[in-house]
Amino acid sequence: MKVSPILAGGIGVVIGAGLALLARPTTAPPPMPLPEPALVEAQVFAPPRAADAPAGPWGDAVRLGERIIMETGTAAAAHVGNDLACRNCHLDAGSKAGAAPLWAAFPNFPAYRTKNDAINSFQKRAQDCFLYSMNGVPPALGSDTLNAIEAYAAYMAKGLPLGESPAGRSFPAIEAPPLPFDAGRGAEVYAENCAACHGEEGAGQVLGDMVYPPLWGARSYNWGAGMATINKAAAFIRANMPQGMENSLSVQQAWDVAAFIDSQHRPQDPRFKGSVAATRKAHHDNEFSRYGLEVAGRKLGDPDQSPPFGASAGR
Ligand code: HEC
Ligand code: HEC
């Protein structure tokens, strides 16, 4: 919950005026009573549910889209090269505000992206998550799979204005860490807060009916993924993890554990340019990527030590 800046400013003005009045001697009128500090909830859009989509081909596509987000490894098996599903990052079947919900993305495409220096349609944007986050070979533009994902996003977005980012898009911004982020401290945060679900080696696990997705290694997202950058991972983790205790980590802990996770081996960047150094220069030359750096004596992204990119990785 946030106090609206307008109200907060108003309260400040009234308090200031009140103090000034107190300092004055007699006849001034009594200070106005302070307004109740109204707490204003951010208005977050509530998308319709795929189950309520109409009967017929359109509703069928919407429901298929939801199923692909939930069960990507079976519903779009040919395009997935790891053990993740879209829903593992786009939580609640791509509907959760603050977990890059698909309804918030849809009205903002086509969009220019620096990542590929091109105008991206919604389907092109989804292809990139297949390529990097899912470590797979993306479905073709206009394929039944991408049409269904787009139909699902469009259905959920009904009524939102075009070309505006609604509240809840992406991940909530995270403040800069008080101390520079540190993977060593992050290892402790991980052991205490994450390993029980995601496994000591980050490989994920199946416990009863629950599937805890892998955070690193051959079956996780590859080096090209947004989640492989420490700033994006920190923002996601702070708002969405540990599952059931969201927002319980401090800002520092979220950055540190993100640095720890993103200092591990994972599948090669599909944009590999023949050498780790060239790939770092082209795609990772910033403080938030550990690709190409030595961590604990191992060079991250080294083809000799990294699982290869793509569906053949692992298993
Ligand atoms: C490992 C985590 C992960 C997985 C798995 C994943 N994504 Fe993403 N996705 C991200 C991140 C991170 C972003 C960028 C969010 C941002 O920049 O704020 C993103 C962004 C998107 C966007 C654009 C959102 C926006 O608001 O612009 C779409 C669309 C999308 N993903 C679709 C998919 C689809 C479809 C799948 C499954 C095929 C998928 N993603 C799987 C992490 C993931
Ligand atoms: C109670 C179990 C639990 C705990 C504890 C937990 N997670 Fe998760 N995490 C999950 C589940 C389940 C998902 C997938 C959510 C879904 O599919 O709805 C997930 C998804 C993720 C993802 C995105 C998917 C992927 O595999 O990359 C990341 C990153 C992540 N968790 C990081 C963390 C970190 C860091 C911590 C500790 C601070 C943590 N989690 C603690 C259960 C947990």
Side-chain angles (χ1 to χ4, degrees), residues 84 87-89 91 193-194 197-198 210-215 220-221 227 236-237 241-243 249 257 261:
L84 297 183
R87 62 164 289 188
N88 294 153
C89 302
L91 304 179
N193 300 281
C194 322
C197 290
H198 291 286
M210 277 305 302
V211 178
Y212 299 104
L215 302 183
S220 189
Y221 53 88
M227 201 64 91
F236 170 85
I237 290 165
M241 290 290 141
Q243 199 193 43
L249 297 182
V257 78
I261 289 170

Side-chain angles (χ1 to χ4, degrees), residues 37-123:
L39 294 168
V40 182
E41 282 276 276
Q43 292 286 317
V44 176
F45 178 72
R49 300 165 49 86
D52 299 331
W58 164 248
D60 290 345
V62 169
R63 282 180 287 270
L64 174 61
E66 184 192 46
R67 196 162 80 79
I68 295 167
I69 299 300
M70 291 299 286
E71 303 161 28
T72 325
T74 48
H79 306 288
V80 176
N82 60 20
D83 289 341
L84 297 183
C86 311
R87 62 164 289 188
N88 294 153
C89 302
H90 301 277
L91 304 179
D92 297 349
S95 75
K96 187 183 173 206
L102 301 182
W103 49 260
F106 179 79
N108 289 285
F109 286 88
Y112 174 78
R113 294 187 76 215
T114 47
K115 183 158 182 169
N116 49 28
D117 189 24
I119 301 295
N120 289 204
S121 63
F122 181 87
Q123 293 201 6

Side-chain angles (χ1 to χ4, degrees), residues 10-267:
I11 293 168
V13 168
V14 173
I15 293 173
L19 289 176
L21 289 172
L22 284 179
R24 258 188 243 161
T26 45
T27 54
M32 279 169 56
L34 290 181
E36 283 292 307
L39 294 168
V40 182
E41 282 276 276
Q43 292 286 317
V44 176
F45 178 72
R49 300 165 49 86
D52 299 331
W58 164 248
D60 290 345
V62 169
R63 282 180 287 270
L64 174 61
E66 184 192 46
R67 196 162 80 79
I68 295 167
I69 299 300
M70 291 299 286
E71 303 161 28
T72 325
T74 48
H79 306 288
V80 176
N82 60 20
D83 289 341
L84 297 183
C86 311
R87 62 164 289 188
N88 294 153
C89 302
H90 301 277
L91 304 179
D92 297 349
S95 75
K96 187 183 173 206
L102 301 182
W103 49 260
F106 179 79
N108 289 285
F109 286 88
Y112 174 78
R113 294 187 76 215
T114 47
K115 183 158 182 169
N116 49 28
D117 189 24
I119 301 295
N120 289 204
S121 63
F122 181 87
Q123 293 201 6
K124 170 76 183 113
R125 179 67 191 83
Q127 278 188 326
D128 268 14
C129 266
F130 273 103
L131 181 62
Y132 303 118
S133 295
M134 305 299 296
N135 193 39
V137 177
L141 299 174
S143 60
D144 289 350
T145 298
L146 287 182
N147 284 347
I149 292 173
E150 184 168 23
Y152 176 51
Y155 171 77
M156 285 196 290
K158 188 175 173 188
L160 284 171
L162 286 178
E164 283 175 27
S165 284
R169 189 174 181 203
S170 183
F171 313 134
I174 183 170
E175 300 103 276
L179 304 171
F181 52 78
D182 179 84
R185 282 194 308 261
E188 291 167 28
V189 177
Y190 184 81
E192 274 173 36
N193 300 281
C194 322
C197 290
H198 291 286
E200 302 210 336
E201 294 302 317
Q205 57 181 336
V206 181
L207 286 180
D209 289 347
M210 277 305 302
V211 178
Y212 299 104
L215 302 183
W216 69 85
R219 306 300 300 171
S220 189
Y221 53 88
N222 70 41
W223 274 110
M227 201 64 91
T229 55
I230 294 168
N231 52 340
K232 281 256 189 271
F236 170 85
I237 290 165
R238 168 112 159 111
N240 297 294
M241 290 290 141
Q243 199 193 43
M245 292 176 61
E246 295 78 4
N247 282 304
S248 65
L249 297 182
S250 68
V251 168
Q252 186 71 54
Q253 285 176 315
W255 280 95
D256 289 346
V257 78
F260 172 68
I261 289 170
D262 284 340
S263 298
Q264 308 289 339
H265 287 290
R266 56 182 65 262

